[in-house]
Amino acid sequence: MNILIIGRGGREHCLAWKCRRHSGVQQIYVAKGNDGMCEVAQIVDIDENDISALAEFALQNAIDLTIVGTETPLEKGITDVFRQHGLRIFAPTQAAARIETSKDFAKQLMQRAHIPTAQAATFTDAAAARQYVLQKGVPVVIKNDGLAAGKGVVVAMDEATALEAVDLMLLHQQFGSQKILIEEYLEGEEFTLMCLVNGRNYIALPLSQDHKRAYNGDVGPNTGGMGAYTPVPQIHCTQEALQRVVEPLLRQMEEDGYPFCGFLYAGLMQTAEGVKVIEFNARFGDPECEVLLPALRNDLVADILELLDGKSTTAASSAPLSTLGVVLCAEGYPQQPHTGFPLHFPASETIQVFHAGSKKVGDAYVSNGGRVAVIVAQGETLQTAQQKAYQYIENMQLSEHFFYRNDIGQKGIAAEKSNLFIQT
């Protein structure tokens, strides 16, 4: 079979790498892709947002399955167009994708489905939003309503930060939207639950934990993700999350007339009152994808095809190894990354490199975006996986034009050691 993957980052590289392991795959195409994917896929020079050109390519090249990795084509309705042409695609419709493309829509949906989440108010007027902040007090969370590449959230611990965020998002339209949500600040530990979904059928993947802040110790601006790991030994509420979040959501979306199909991302928090939803995404998380797929025993393509055929499915099976990924970033990320600087990726039989913002110039790689690559390692423990990943990065001999967090996985490692102490 022929598969088309839509996107150009580390997530799409990982999807292509995983799909290549399906015995029935003949050719994998990635649009727009990047140079680092060439060993596992054929790169197609079509922009992810050129929906008509992508549909034409799929028809001309006998594409049997299209997988959408990135979010903007979902907002533009790629699934609706592909289905109109009789093309099989694993991704939500434009209507269903609103659980990510509009946080206000998602919040209202959760209220109808009685899904636990933070209390929130929606604003389009900056003066009214500022007054609300002054009345409610801090801390609060300010969220841009629409897509913002993982950066449209400000956790405001003081009044000045909250008011500045309101002005940036509404008066200056920093992310292009004219609507924001102001949410209550939740206390607890964040984690991610990913599911492969079609209607009410789903396959739950192992839990993972992302690191959103740019710098060690979870400080600095929000990013698209600085690293991730799985499993998450300090979180023990998968069944609660499935029963109180995933299943009610899928049931409500079907009842409302826009059943979900594709990768469902639930960003959750374990609080003193139980699991609560922080956000939903309508596609695979990045960099969660890059640690989850290497950890899975499942045949991803076979699972997707079974779901699309309406078959009942079970939970995914993970290998008995811990997986950890560290994101290499260009200096200046997430504001204005500095690009064009050389990179050296040493050959390794134990490390998987998923390319994102990199490109080849001659025989060498140079930086070509904010998040350059994800370095993924596996081990018997999270600590072993962490040590392998950072040893590889040290061998890269990076220049001052790159940076990364060196505490990825620390919470999981601490829990892992604590669990071992309890068991012994």
Side-chain angles (χ1 to χ4, degrees):
M1 66 183 303
N2 296 323
I3 296 177
L4 172 63
I5 297 171
I6 310 297
R8 68 177 71 188
R11 168 182 48 213
E12 289 75 32
H13 186 180
C14 185
L15 283 166
W17 172 85
K18 187 69 172 179
C19 289
R20 176 58 64 190
R21 279 144 179 77
H22 181 69
S23 59
V25 168
Q26 180 177 353
Q27 183 60 269
I28 297 176
Y29 301 94
V30 184
K32 186 173 178 79
N34 67 56
D35 294 340
M37 304 179 185
C38 293
E39 292 184 2
V40 294
Q42 182 174 326
I43 308 306
V44 180
D45 190 18
I46 301 176
D47 190 89
E48 302 95 317
N49 299 320
D50 193 343
I51 308 301
S52 59
L54 289 168
E56 183 179 353
F57 176 87
L59 290 167
Q60 292 178 350
N61 290 272
I63 298 298
D64 301 290
L65 173 66
T66 297
I67 300 173
V68 181
T70 190
E71 58 269 30
T72 308
L74 302 176
E75 185 180 40
K76 295 181 176 295
I78 185 172
T79 298
D80 307 78
V81 173
F82 271 52
R83 287 181 178 177
Q84 289 169 6
H85 287 88
L87 294 164
R88 177 169 270 200
I89 183 169
F90 189 66
T93 61
Q94 187 177 47
R98 286 179 294 173
I99 63 167
E100 176 174 8
T101 60
S102 172
K103 292 181 177 63
D104 180 50
F105 172 86
K107 190 67 69 172
Q108 294 183 41
L109 175 61
M110 283 186 274
Q111 291 171 352
R112 291 197 302 276
H114 305 290
I115 293 171
T117 185
Q119 294 180 355
T122 302
F123 296 91
T124 57
D125 179 73
R130 289 172 63 90
Q131 184 62 34
Y132 182 82
V133 169
L134 295 174
Q135 289 175 348
K136 295 291 287 188
V138 291
V140 292
V141 181
I142 316 294
K143 293 184 176 181
N144 178 68
D145 178 61
L147 296 177
K151 306 178 190 71
V153 176
V154 174
V155 179
M157 304 304 292
D158 59 79
E159 194 174 272
T161 301
L163 297 176
E164 180 185 21
V166 167
D167 289 348
L168 284 173
M169 293 186 195
L170 286 180
L171 292 182
H172 304 292
Q173 297 182 18
Q174 183 181 35
F175 300 105
S177 175
Q178 298 180 5
K179 183 187 294 184
I180 64 169
L181 273 71
I182 302 179
E183 292 189 351
E184 69 169 318
Y185 174 78
L186 298 178
E187 292 193 37
E189 186 156 357
E190 295 184 35
F191 65 99
T192 302
L193 174 60
M194 293 286 311
C195 296
L196 281 65
V197 174
N198 188 22
R200 296 195 189 187
N201 289 334
Y202 66 87
I203 301 174
L205 304 185
L207 301 184
S208 60
Q209 189 170 70
D210 186 15
H211 299 64
K212 287 292 187 187
R213 296 299 188 98
Y215 309 124
N216 293 344
D218 292 326
V219 299
N222 268 324
T223 72
M226 298 296 295
Y229 64 94
T230 187
V232 188
Q234 67 272 34
I235 304 292
H236 307 281
C237 52
T238 300
Q239 287 306 310
E240 179 189 355
L242 292 173
Q243 293 168 7
R244 298 187 66 197
V245 176
V246 172
E247 292 171 5
L249 176 77
L250 300 183
R251 182 169 57 248
Q252 188 68 48
M253 293 186 76
E254 188 173 75
E255 291 175 358
D256 288 351
Y258 36 84
F260 192 87
C261 176
F263 299 109
L264 175 67
Y265 172 111
L268 307 173
M269 181 174 284
Q270 184 175 258
T271 75
E273 294 80 34
V275 172
K276 292 191 178 184
V277 176
I278 300 171
E279 65 174 350
F280 288 117
N281 289 336
R283 37 75 189 181
F284 222 140
D286 186 350
E288 292 95 337
C289 175
E290 291 92 316
V291 298
L292 284 171
L293 292 187
L296 292 184
R297 287 185 172 137
N298 290 47
D299 182 326
L300 178 67
V301 175
D303 283 346
I304 288 174
L305 294 176
E306 286 194 3
L307 280 168
L308 290 176
D309 288 338
K311 296 180 181 178
S312 298
T313 52
T314 58
S317 173
S318 58
L321 291 173
S322 297
T323 310
L324 183 143
V326 180
V327 177
L328 303 183
C329 297
E331 180 186 20
Y333 176 78
Q335 286 83 12
Q336 293 188 350
H338 307 162
T339 61
F341 296 99
L343 286 155
H344 170 61
F345 296 99
S348 174
E349 295 182 359
T350 59
I351 297 294
Q352 185 65 50
V353 178
F354 294 114
H355 288 258
S358 62
K359 69 175 181 180
K360 266 194 169 181
V361 177
D363 294 328
Y365 283 101
V366 299
S367 54
N368 190 43
R371 293 192 294 176
V372 175
V374 187
I375 308 303
V376 178
Q378 292 186 301
E380 296 294 331
T381 65
L382 283 171
Q383 186 170 30
T384 303
Q386 185 197 58
Q387 289 170 346
K388 289 181 179 180
Y390 284 119
Q391 182 60 56
Y392 180 88
I393 293 172
E394 286 183 18
N395 293 337
M396 291 181 67
Q397 298 181 333
L398 293 168
S399 71
E400 69 276 11
H401 301 294
F402 301 93
F403 77 99
Y404 56 92
R405 282 182 57 163
N406 57 26
D407 62 348
I408 301 300
Q410 283 301 118
K411 290 181 181 178
I413 290 170
E416 195 173 58
K417 291 179 178 178
S418 176
N419 291 342
L420 181 61
F421 175 77
I422 293 171
Q423 292 169 9
T424 55

